[in-house]
Amino acid sequence: MSVVSRKEYIGVPRDRVENFNGNQLVYVGWDNHLLFASAFLLFVSPETVFRDMVQNNVIPLIGADPDAEKIDWDSVTWLKGNQPWTPNWDETLAANGIGHKMLLRFKTPSLNSICG
Amino acid sequence: MDTPVNKKKLSLKEKYSYLTRDLAWEPSYQKKEDLFPYATYEGIKVHDWEKWEDPFRLTMDAYWKYQAEKERKFYAIIDAFAQNNGHLKITDARYLSALKIFLQAISPGEYAAHKGFARAGREFPGVGPQVACQMQAIDEIRHAQTQIHAMSNYNKFYSGFHAFADQRDRIWYTSVARSFFDDAMSAGPFEFMIAIGFSFEYVLTNLLFVPFMSGAAYNGDMSTVTFGFSAQSDEARHMTLGLECIKFMLEQDPANVEIVQKWIDKWFWRGFRVLGLVSTMMDYMLPKRVMSWREAWDIYGEENGGALFNDLARYGIRPPKGWKDAGEAVDHMSHQFMLALYQWNFGTAFHSWIPSDEDMDWLSKKYPDTFDKYYRPRWEHIKKMDEAGTPFNNFGLAKLCQTCQLPTVFSEPGDPSSLCHRETEYKGETYQFCSDHCCDIFKEEPEKFIQAWLPMPALFQAPLNGDLEAWMEWACLENGSDNGDFKGSHDQVSFQKWREMTTSN
């Protein structure tokens, strides 16, 4: 049963991608770096190149953690939807299969200054 | 002249029976199921409404008399409070943050409960619960009113009190409480009773009101204490009603047990998430503390709740599914949530601050296994940034949980250094959650929860389209006075100045 109701009942999702004027939401979290209380909510175009998203949307948000400047982005490992995953840095989010409201996590195992 | 008739005064028992059970009637020209269309669709089977035992023998006339008496006392004290500069008698203006959260998130919940009980009183076919629910509906609206009146005096002097009703609907940290009540009110009458009557009033209310009212007393806030006393006798009645209702359902049909258990699992966890707000008040916001959140949980959660579920075991009810995870989370949640409130304090209609060294020592004493290991280093780093003139704000807005609507700030059970991420797909859409339990609640009724209005995704849709300033205006958040660090705030400066004026020339 998808809802307890007296008759057939179909809900309308409130946060459908059509409501975001051609953009979408992407969540990005930095594993084990809990100075940032939650994964970040990014508001980006599906045509954004992955590298640009990291450069323009992620890096400006993580500077408060001293580990940020030590990240070697080539050795970072990623999860998409909590499963191991490898991004194509020069493709768009759409081509990388990063849909609306999906969660990406990145891991930097050797770095843990504050939340070790 | 009429012949005088000796009117026999009714005995209490007769009066009670005339004014409650005797108000019912059997419909003659309408079918019962047309009169009470919401009574069966949830699957709860009731064979005999007469078996309902009224949990308290109170008639409307007696109720009216008691409540009027309490109101008179309450408003006399509120007047005295206003006339005697009660707003300067609190321990420190930091205390007001706890009060503001309460007013923005919890008091509107009383109003929502009023609406819910009025509806449940109409929808239950039995006269016993009808009368009991109607009385509770009146209690709840009285509580909303007295709380608002009790705190209104502070609104004349301090920031953050002026738009609680809009902020209840629009601000992000209040949506955990708003969605809790919306969820309950859009359920059927039986689930509503488990949600509010049982889970909220019985299992969780002590954790909410006892620490909050003691906090008010410890910190010199007589108006809130007075409200607390005025509501106390009502709360006892509400707890009894919640318990009676659950026992009635369990005794009416063995098939009800499974449904009730599912609701207990759901509503315990939803309530526990609402209590996240209370945990930050207790551990971080009271200048003079009452007890830690952990200590409150041990007494009012673990001990009282444990006893309750032992009592219900004979019906085949077990403790809620999230009980163990909750017990573990209690050592972490106030720190995780407070760090979040602090880093997003540009978007809160109350002030937060970096705990002092003394505060941190108290926290590490109260949380010997977790504070120094996980949370002190974060606060120390934030303090260092503040001292360097680059205070920490997190401008990456948060991923919210589709069910409880809180930012997903809680850690993985068994691993406090990892955030808990849960995700599911429904009809091609992706949904995010803070925990297994919130994810499970969604999966039970996805068609309901996909409609959730989540404050952060809403900010990026029309008409706000991601404009933070426009959002503040819409949320009635006055930038530079309602929000931000306590240090240097109007509240801090005014309180200090006015206190000095009362003690020196």
Side-chain angles (χ1 to χ4, degrees):
Chain A
M1 203 167 3
S2 61
V3 71
V4 180
S5 59
R6 292 175 61 218
K7 46 190 184 234
E8 197 194 9
Y9 181 94
I10 306 288
V12 178
R14 190 66 74 110
D15 297 325
R16 280 170 310 172
V17 71
E18 301 90 273
N19 301 351
F20 290 83
N21 299 316
N23 290 332
Q24 67 174 76
L25 302 181
V26 177
Y27 300 110
V28 179
W30 185 2
D31 272 18
N32 306 108
H33 285 71
L34 274 61
L35 178 64
F36 309 107
S38 167
F40 303 113
L41 176 155
L42 307 182
F43 180 58
V44 284
S45 157
E47 297 312 312
T48 310
V49 172
F50 186 81
R51 184 182 303 284
D52 294 339
M53 181 189 76
V54 172
Q55 199 62 43
N56 303 333
N57 298 91
V58 178
I59 291 178
L61 291 175
I62 60 175
D65 191 306
D67 287 346
E69 55 192 32
K70 296 179 225 153
I71 298 176
D72 169 15
W73 287 100
D74 293 335
S75 67
V76 160
T77 55
W78 291 84
L79 301 174
K80 188 174 83 170
N82 300 315
Q83 299 301 320
W85 169 76
T86 312
N88 185 331
W89 282 77
D90 298 309
E91 287 287 359
T92 62
L93 303 186
N96 267 295
I98 300 168
H100 180 50
K101 295 190 287 168
M102 277 191 181
L103 169 69
L104 306 177
R105 295 159 55 184
F106 63 96
K107 286 175 179 290
T108 55
S110 55
L111 302 176
N112 52 4
S113 305
I114 300 174
C115 306
Chain B
M1 206 175 114
D2 293 341
T3 320
V5 180
N6 278 341
K7 273 192 206 148
K8 205 180 129 230
K9 237 182 148 185
L10 293 174
S11 75
L12 268 180
K13 207 175 152 193
E14 283 170 320
K15 202 156 104 179
Y16 178 76
S17 140
Y18 280 130
L19 285 169
T20 55
R21 293 300 174 109
D22 206 43
L23 295 173
W25 70 91
E26 279 303 314
S28 53
Y29 59 90
Q30 288 285 356
K31 287 200 296 277
K32 214 162 181 179
E33 51 273 33
D34 291 339
L35 281 180
F36 302 105
Y38 301 101
T40 52
Y41 82 96
E42 298 172 271
I44 293 289
K45 292 189 179 69
V46 175
H47 303 288
D48 185 3
W49 280 100
E50 288 303 310
K51 290 268 164 52
W52 171 277
E53 280 185 41
D54 299 342
F56 35 85
R57 301 286 160 108
L58 190 62
T59 54
M60 209 33 107
D61 60 331
Y63 174 82
W64 229 244
K65 210 173 95 192
Y66 292 141
Q67 301 302 68
E69 182 59 30
K70 286 198 292 184
E71 295 274 278
R72 270 195 297 278
K73 284 186 194 152
F74 172 77
Y75 283 102
I77 295 176
I78 294 296
D79 279 349
F81 175 82
Q83 283 164 23
N84 289 298
N85 286 331
H87 67 287
L88 294 178
K89 305 272 162 65
I90 51 174
T91 46
D92 186 62
R94 283 175 298 159
Y95 166 72
L96 299 167
S97 286
L99 219 47
K100 291 171 195 177
I101 295 182
F102 195 89
L103 182 63
Q104 294 158 9
I106 307 296
S107 301
E110 304 267 14
Y111 182 70
H114 146 72
K115 290 202 284 186
F117 276 105
R119 200 206 65 188
R122 170 64 186 84
E123 289 178 0
F124 280 129
V127 67
Q130 282 171 3
V131 171
C133 286
Q134 284 165 21
M135 277 190 203
Q136 184 158 350
I138 300 169
D139 280 344
E140 302 289 2
I141 198 165
R142 196 180 77 89
H143 292 182
Q145 288 170 340
T146 48
Q147 284 171 26
I148 293 162
H149 285 157
M151 294 185 221
S152 65
N153 192 53
Y154 292 107
N155 183 41
K156 297 180 198 159
F157 304 98
Y158 301 111
S159 316
F161 287 96
H162 58 94
F164 68 93
D166 283 324
Q167 283 159 356
R168 177 260 184 189
D169 288 339
R170 299 178 179 188
I171 268 192
W172 52 280
Y173 55 87
T174 52
S175 71
V176 62
R178 174 183 53 76
S179 73
F180 178 96
F181 283 99
D182 285 354
D183 189 354
M185 287 163 70
S186 51
F190 287 103
E191 186 180 348
F192 176 83
M193 285 305 291
I194 297 291
I196 309 299
F198 178 72
S199 170
F200 200 73
E201 297 283 355
Y202 203 96
V203 187
L204 304 168
T205 201
N206 280 337
L207 276 161
L208 179 66
F209 282 94
V210 177
F212 184 70
M213 297 308 157
S214 319
Y218 271 51
N219 288 280
D221 175 8
M222 284 322 291
S223 66
T224 300
V225 173
T226 308
F227 149 71
F229 282 131
S230 175
Q232 210 167 33
S233 55
D234 303 336
E235 297 298 345
R237 213 159 5 88
H238 300 173
M239 289 173 78
T240 325
L241 175 59
L243 194 61
E244 168 56 28
C245 197
I246 196 170
K247 287 187 169 169
F248 177 71
M249 287 186 224
L250 296 171
E251 282 167 3
Q252 279 294 309
D253 197 288
N256 293 345
V257 176
E258 195 189 335
I259 303 174
V260 169
Q261 180 72 57
K262 211 165 61 185
W263 287 336
I264 290 177
D265 290 346
K266 169 181 174 182
W267 288 99
F268 166 74
W269 191 255
R270 294 227 59 185
F272 185 68
R273 280 297 185 239
V274 176
L275 291 178
L277 285 169
V278 184
S279 75
T280 62
M281 296 182 196
M282 292 196 67
D283 282 344
Y284 284 90
M285 293 183 192
L286 300 180
K288 196 167 161 52
R289 293 182 172 92
V290 180
M291 57 170 85
S292 68
W293 170 244
R294 163 47 81 186
E295 288 163 332
W297 175 259
D298 285 346
I299 299 170
Y300 302 112
E302 210 68 51
E303 258 177 54
N304 294 3
L308 169 67
F309 288 111
N310 281 341
D311 186 35
L312 292 175
R314 66 195 154 102
Y315 297 106
I317 291 290
R318 51 161 175 73
K321 214 166 48 160
W323 189 254
K324 218 179 118 257
D325 285 342
E328 183 192 319
V330 165
D331 284 330
H332 300 276
M333 61 198 277
S334 67
H335 315 299
Q336 293 169 345
F337 203 4
M338 194 65 220
L339 279 153
L341 292 172
Y342 181 80
Q343 62 193 261
W344 291 307
N345 70 16
F346 51 90
T348 62
F350 60 87
H351 300 299
S352 45
W353 52 89
I354 300 166
S356 67
D357 292 344
E358 200 190 338
D359 290 339
M360 287 205 247
D361 290 344
W362 184 86
L363 289 166
S364 65
K365 208 168 74 200
K366 295 296 180 186
Y367 294 94
D369 300 328
T370 57
F371 185 75
D372 284 349
K373 190 165 176 206
Y374 300 106
Y375 306 107
R376 188 190 278 269
R378 294 178 212 171
W379 283 118
E380 295 287 2
H381 182 72
I382 292 171
K383 196 167 127 191
K384 217 166 64 191
M385 289 182 72
D386 192 59
E387 285 164 358
T390 52
F392 177 45
N393 274 140
N394 181 353
F395 289 109
L397 301 183
K399 169 166 85 87
L400 304 185
C401 173
Q402 186 75 24
T403 301
C404 73
Q405 307 199 358
L406 281 176
T408 58
V409 302
F410 304 105
S411 55
E412 190 69 57
D415 179 10
S417 58
S418 291
L419 281 179
C420 183
H421 296 289
R422 295 293 181 272
E423 188 177 302
T424 196
E425 217 185 281
Y426 179 70
K427 291 187 176 171
E429 292 271 327
T430 308
Y431 296 94
Q432 304 289 342
F433 304 92
C434 69
S435 57
D436 284 323
H437 305 295
C438 275
C439 187
D440 289 347
I441 292 168
F442 175 94
K443 285 178 183 164
E444 282 287 333
E445 285 191 279
E447 212 62 52
K448 182 174 195 176
F449 291 100
I450 56 172
Q451 302 171 73
W453 179 88
L454 301 179
M456 303 235 178
L459 168 56
F460 292 94
Q461 300 178 40
L464 295 168
N465 298 316
D467 181 343
L468 200 61
E469 246 174 73
W471 173 78
M472 283 185 179
E473 197 178 316
W474 177 75
C476 306
L477 183 70
E478 285 180 25
N479 194 14
S481 85
D482 289 341
N483 58 356
D485 200 305
F486 177 70
K487 198 175 54 179
S489 66
H490 293 175
D491 280 8
Q492 187 196 29
V493 173
S494 308
F495 182 75
Q496 208 174 334
K497 195 173 78 189
W498 295 333
R499 273 284 269 264
E500 277 165 16
M501 284 163 70
T502 63
T503 52
S504 66
N505 300 308

